[in-house]
Amino acid sequence: DDVFIGNGVSELIDLTLRALLAPGDEILLPGPYWMLLPGMLELVEGARWRHVPVFLDALEGRLEPDELAARLRASLGPATRALYLNTPNNPTGAVLSRAQLEAVAAVAVEHDLWVVSDEAYEHLLFDGAEHVSIASLPGMAARTVSLFSFSKSYAMSGWRLGYVVSPPALRPVL
Protein backbone atom coordinates (compact mmCIF):
# COMPACT_ATOMS: atom_id res chain seq x y z
CA ASP A 1 0.00 0.00 0.00
CA ASP A 2 2.93 2.36 0.61
CA VAL A 3 4.60 1.91 -2.79
CA PHE A 4 3.72 3.67 -6.03
CA ILE A 5 5.54 2.71 -9.26
CA GLY A 6 6.25 5.38 -11.87
CA ASN A 7 8.12 6.25 -15.05
CA GLY A 8 11.39 6.91 -13.29
CA VAL A 9 12.30 9.14 -10.38
CA SER A 10 11.99 12.35 -12.42
CA GLU A 11 8.27 11.77 -12.92
CA LEU A 12 7.86 10.80 -9.28
CA ILE A 13 9.67 13.91 -8.04
CA ASP A 14 7.38 16.02 -10.22
CA LEU A 15 4.24 14.30 -8.89
CA THR A 16 5.47 14.58 -5.31
CA LEU A 17 6.26 18.30 -5.61
CA ARG A 18 2.85 18.95 -7.16
CA ALA A 19 1.15 16.98 -4.38
CA LEU A 20 2.97 18.75 -1.56
CA LEU A 21 3.28 22.35 -2.70
CA ALA A 22 0.54 24.90 -3.31
CA PRO A 23 0.91 28.40 -4.76
CA GLY A 24 3.05 30.46 -2.38
CA ASP A 25 4.63 27.44 -0.69
CA GLU A 26 8.39 27.08 -0.46
CA ILE A 27 10.77 24.12 -0.40
CA LEU A 28 14.37 24.13 0.83
CA LEU A 29 16.96 22.69 -1.57
CA PRO A 30 20.19 21.73 0.17
CA GLY A 31 22.87 22.14 -2.43
CA PRO A 32 24.59 21.68 -4.61
CA TYR A 33 21.52 19.97 -6.00
CA TRP A 34 20.52 18.17 -9.17
CA MET A 35 20.41 20.80 -11.91
CA LEU A 36 16.88 19.95 -13.05
CA LEU A 37 15.21 20.66 -9.70
CA PRO A 38 14.68 24.42 -10.13
CA GLY A 39 13.13 23.81 -13.55
CA MET A 40 10.85 21.14 -12.11
CA LEU A 41 9.78 23.55 -9.39
CA GLU A 42 8.95 26.20 -11.99
CA LEU A 43 6.27 23.81 -13.23
CA VAL A 44 4.62 23.75 -9.79
CA GLU A 45 2.36 26.78 -10.00
CA GLY A 46 3.38 29.48 -7.55
CA ALA A 47 5.88 27.36 -5.61
CA ARG A 48 9.28 28.77 -4.66
CA TRP A 49 12.57 27.27 -3.55
CA ARG A 50 15.46 28.39 -1.42
CA HIS A 51 19.05 27.09 -1.68
CA VAL A 52 20.80 26.00 1.51
CA PRO A 53 24.55 25.27 1.16
CA VAL A 54 25.14 21.81 2.65
CA PHE A 55 26.83 19.15 0.58
CA LEU A 56 30.24 20.66 -0.18
CA ASP A 57 30.89 21.14 3.53
CA ALA A 58 29.51 17.67 4.25
CA LEU A 59 31.81 16.21 1.61
CA GLU A 60 34.81 17.87 3.23
CA GLY A 61 33.78 16.70 6.72
CA ARG A 62 33.17 20.30 7.85
CA LEU A 63 29.47 20.08 8.71
CA GLU A 64 28.56 19.03 12.22
CA PRO A 65 24.95 18.03 12.86
CA ASP A 66 24.20 21.12 14.96
CA GLU A 67 25.58 23.39 12.20
CA LEU A 68 23.42 21.62 9.62
CA ALA A 69 20.33 22.11 11.78
CA ALA A 70 21.23 25.78 12.30
CA ARG A 71 21.57 26.34 8.55
CA LEU A 72 18.20 24.77 7.90
CA ARG A 73 16.49 26.76 10.66
CA ALA A 74 18.05 30.00 9.40
CA SER A 75 16.72 29.28 5.90
CA LEU A 76 13.13 28.64 6.95
CA GLY A 77 10.49 31.16 6.01
CA PRO A 78 6.81 31.41 6.87
CA ALA A 79 5.90 29.65 3.60
CA THR A 80 8.40 26.76 3.96
CA ARG A 81 6.48 23.48 3.75
CA ALA A 82 9.09 20.97 2.68
CA LEU A 83 12.74 20.03 2.38
CA TYR A 84 14.25 18.15 -0.56
CA LEU A 85 17.01 15.76 0.49
CA ASN A 86 19.33 13.81 -1.80
CA THR A 87 21.85 11.60 -0.05
CA PRO A 88 24.05 10.23 -1.49
CA ASN A 89 24.02 13.56 -3.23
CA ASN A 90 24.01 14.32 -6.92
CA PRO A 91 26.30 16.01 -7.94
CA THR A 92 28.81 15.86 -5.06
CA GLY A 93 28.54 12.25 -3.89
CA ALA A 94 28.38 13.46 -0.27
CA VAL A 95 26.51 11.16 2.10
CA LEU A 96 24.89 12.58 5.21
CA SER A 97 25.61 10.59 8.36
CA ARG A 98 22.95 9.23 10.69
CA ALA A 99 23.72 12.07 13.14
CA GLN A 100 23.33 14.67 10.40
CA LEU A 101 20.05 13.09 9.29
CA GLU A 102 18.84 13.10 12.89
CA ALA A 103 19.52 16.85 12.95
CA VAL A 104 17.54 17.29 9.71
CA ALA A 105 14.73 15.18 11.18
CA ALA A 106 14.62 17.33 14.31
CA VAL A 107 14.15 20.46 12.20
CA ALA A 108 11.47 18.76 10.09
CA VAL A 109 9.53 17.70 13.18
CA GLU A 110 9.94 21.09 14.93
CA HIS A 111 8.62 22.98 11.91
CA ASP A 112 6.15 20.40 10.59
CA LEU A 113 7.98 20.00 7.27
CA TRP A 114 7.55 17.31 4.65
CA VAL A 115 10.79 15.69 3.55
CA VAL A 116 11.17 14.66 -0.07
CA SER A 117 13.98 12.12 0.13
CA ASP A 118 15.55 11.30 -3.23
CA GLU A 119 17.44 8.08 -2.57
CA ALA A 120 18.27 7.18 -6.18
CA TYR A 121 21.94 6.72 -5.28
CA GLU A 122 21.41 4.63 -2.14
CA HIS A 123 23.65 1.80 -3.40
CA LEU A 124 26.46 3.98 -4.77
CA LEU A 125 28.63 4.35 -1.68
CA PHE A 126 32.37 4.66 -1.32
CA ASP A 127 35.00 5.04 1.40
CA GLY A 128 32.93 3.20 4.01
CA ALA A 129 29.95 5.56 3.78
CA GLU A 130 26.61 4.19 4.97
CA HIS A 131 23.26 5.11 3.49
CA VAL A 132 20.54 5.80 6.04
CA SER A 133 17.04 6.58 4.90
CA ILE A 134 15.66 9.53 6.84
CA ALA A 135 12.26 7.78 6.82
CA SER A 136 13.77 5.07 9.06
CA LEU A 137 14.37 7.57 11.88
CA PRO A 138 11.80 7.89 14.69
CA GLY A 139 8.80 9.99 13.69
CA MET A 140 9.91 10.49 10.09
CA ALA A 141 8.00 7.84 8.12
CA ALA A 142 4.78 9.85 8.43
CA ARG A 143 6.37 13.01 6.99
CA THR A 144 8.76 11.58 4.40
CA VAL A 145 8.22 10.75 0.76
CA SER A 146 11.09 8.44 -0.27
CA LEU A 147 11.98 8.15 -3.96
CA PHE A 148 13.98 5.27 -5.43
CA SER A 149 15.29 4.42 -8.88
CA PHE A 150 16.44 1.29 -10.64
CA SER A 151 18.49 3.39 -13.09
CA LYS A 152 21.53 4.01 -10.93
CA SER A 153 21.76 0.89 -8.78
CA TYR A 154 20.87 -1.65 -11.44
CA ALA A 155 22.05 0.04 -14.68
CA MET A 156 18.48 0.21 -15.97
CA SER A 157 18.36 3.84 -17.11
CA GLY A 158 16.56 3.06 -20.36
CA TRP A 159 13.75 1.30 -18.51
CA ARG A 160 12.52 4.52 -16.79
CA LEU A 161 11.36 2.70 -13.69
CA GLY A 162 11.23 4.17 -10.22
CA TYR A 163 9.11 3.97 -7.12
CA VAL A 164 8.00 6.14 -4.26
CA VAL A 165 7.20 5.13 -0.71
CA SER A 166 4.72 7.54 0.80
CA PRO A 167 2.82 7.94 4.04
CA PRO A 168 -0.96 7.34 4.01
CA ALA A 169 -1.74 11.08 3.82
CA LEU A 170 -0.32 11.29 0.29
CA ARG A 171 -1.57 8.04 -1.23
CA PRO A 172 -4.74 9.54 -2.73
CA VAL A 173 -2.79 12.25 -4.63
CA LEU A 174 0.21 10.33 -5.93
Side-chain angles (χ1 to χ4, degrees):
D1 289 342
D2 298 341
V3 178
F4 178 81
I5 305 295
N7 293 325
V9 167
S10 297
E11 177 199 29
L12 296 171
I13 291 171
D14 179 58
L15 290 173
T16 299
L17 295 174
R18 290 173 191 263
L20 291 178
L21 301 174
D25 286 349
E26 180 179 78
I27 186 169
L28 299 182
L29 297 182
Y33 43 78
W34 181 43
M35 65 179 189
L36 293 182
L37 281 171
M40 293 175 94
L41 282 162
E42 285 181 21
L43 298 174
V44 180
E45 183 180 346
R48 299 181 313 244
W49 58 274
R50 188 180 309 214
H51 173 249
V52 183
V54 169
F55 288 108
L56 292 177
D57 288 337
L59 187 64
E60 297 296 325
R62 296 187 315 246
L63 187 60
E64 296 297 321
D66 57 339
E67 171 61 23
L68 174 54
R71 285 185 194 185
L72 293 174
R73 286 185 187 104
S75 298
L76 292 169
T80 307
R81 302 286 176 262
L83 164 73
Y84 175 86
L85 190 62
N86 176 227
T87 177
N89 177 253
N90 175 6
T92 67
V95 179
L96 295 183
S97 68
R98 178 178 296 276
Q100 289 167 321
L101 289 170
E102 288 169 346
V104 172
V107 173
V109 169
E110 287 167 16
H111 297 278
D112 195 25
L113 300 176
W114 284 100
V115 176
V116 178
S117 184
D118 180 350
E119 302 183 39
Y121 299 93
E122 67 176 324
H123 297 294
L124 298 178
L125 300 164
F126 303 95
D127 300 328
E130 175 192 12
H131 172 261
V132 176
S133 177
I134 194 165
S136 70
L137 300 178
M140 292 305 295
R143 69 177 58 253
T144 302
V145 178
S146 300
L147 300 136
F148 301 91
S149 170
F150 293 96
S151 298
K152 310 308 183 278
S153 299
Y154 303 103
M156 295 174 60
S157 59
W159 289 62
R160 306 305 314 143
L161 184 61
Y163 63 100
V164 61
V165 179
S166 71
L170 288 179
R171 287 187 201 140
V173 294
L174 286 177

